[in-house]
Each structure stands twice: as C-alpha cells, then as structure tokens.
C-alpha cells in the first residue's frame, strides 16, 4: 500500500501529513479523502491549475501525463520538472512525497 507524504503547507497541511492509500486513485482524490483540502476549481477535469503539486519522490510511478495536462501545467505558478495536476495523476504502487506550491492561480476565486 503506497504512502503519500504531504510536505507542510501553511493552509492545507500546516504540520504536513502522511496518507496510506488503497487502490488506484488520483492524487487529488487521495488528498481530499484525507482532509488535505487542495483547491480543484474545475471539478477535477484538468481544465485549471489549482490542484498543481510538485512530486519530490515517486514521480516516475504516477500515470503518464497526457497532452492536455502538459498544456495546462504551462500556466501553473512555480512549475517544476516534476509538477503534476493532482486531479490527473493516478497513484501507482510507490510511495510519494508531494509539495503543494505556496500559490495557485484560481481565476474564479480571484475575479469573484
């Protein structure tokens, strides 16, 4: 059973968190199911970048990235070589360490 270590984030995981997951699920769904209320403004369809995370361990074990995700990530704040949209990244069998960036671009929230 893979573990997801969430590095401390002031808003979503102030103390950091370790999550045990079972079965195939997206990184976003795993975080949400365990109380890490990461933004997902588009309803988890890969049409925004609010659920952007940087995977610092286990990146290779995630499902492959499709062209739409690559295009959306180009708009993400703090993009890194191991960035993913958590709503599109399906967790494999390896342990993961993820960092939620300090900022996200949420046009719906910012223009409200």
């Amino acid at each position: 059973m893979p573990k997801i270590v969430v590095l401390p984030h002031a808003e979503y995981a102030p103390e950091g968190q370790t999550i045990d997951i079972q079965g195939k699920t997206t990184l976003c769904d795993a975080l949400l199911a365990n109380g890490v209320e990461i933004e997902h403004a588009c309803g988890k369809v890969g049409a925004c970048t609010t659920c952007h995370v940087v995977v610092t361990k286990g990146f290779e074990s995630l499902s492959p990235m499709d062209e739409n995700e690559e295009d959306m990530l180009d708009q993400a704040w703090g993009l890194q070589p191991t960035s993913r949209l958590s709503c599109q990244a399906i967790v494999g069998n390896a342990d993961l360490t993820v960092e939620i960036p300090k900022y996200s671009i949420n046009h719906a929230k910012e223009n409200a």
Side-chain angles (χ1 to χ4, degrees):
M1 168 176 2
K3 289 184 192 290
I4 301 171
V5 174
V6 181
L7 298 177
H9 181 280
E11 185 176 349
Y12 303 117
E15 305 294 320
Q17 189 166 339
T18 300
I19 299 166
D20 291 315
I21 65 164
Q22 296 180 15
K24 297 224 181 236
T25 186
T26 66
L27 191 48
C28 186
D29 284 340
L31 295 173
L32 292 169
N34 287 279
V36 180
E37 296 296 324
I38 191 168
E39 289 189 55
H40 51 286
C42 71
K44 302 185 281 186
V45 298
C48 72
T49 62
T50 58
C51 72
H52 166 231
V53 296
V54 178
V55 181
T56 60
K57 177 185 172 195
F59 180 80
E60 315 76 32
S61 70
L62 295 170
S63 61
M65 197 179 316
D66 67 17
E67 188 174 321
N68 180 62
E69 182 179 358
E70 287 181 23
D71 290 345
M72 288 308 304
L73 277 170
D74 286 341
Q75 301 172 38
W77 184 90
L79 184 65
Q80 299 292 317
T82 58
S83 287
R84 289 295 304 261
L85 296 181
S86 66
C87 71
Q88 301 300 300
I90 298 173
V91 178
N93 293 323
D95 292 346
L96 302 171
T97 301
V98 299
E99 178 180 0
I100 302 170
K102 185 174 182 178
Y103 301 106
S104 86
I105 300 169
N106 184 340
H107 295 291
K109 190 177 190 181
E110 292 167 6
N111 294 326

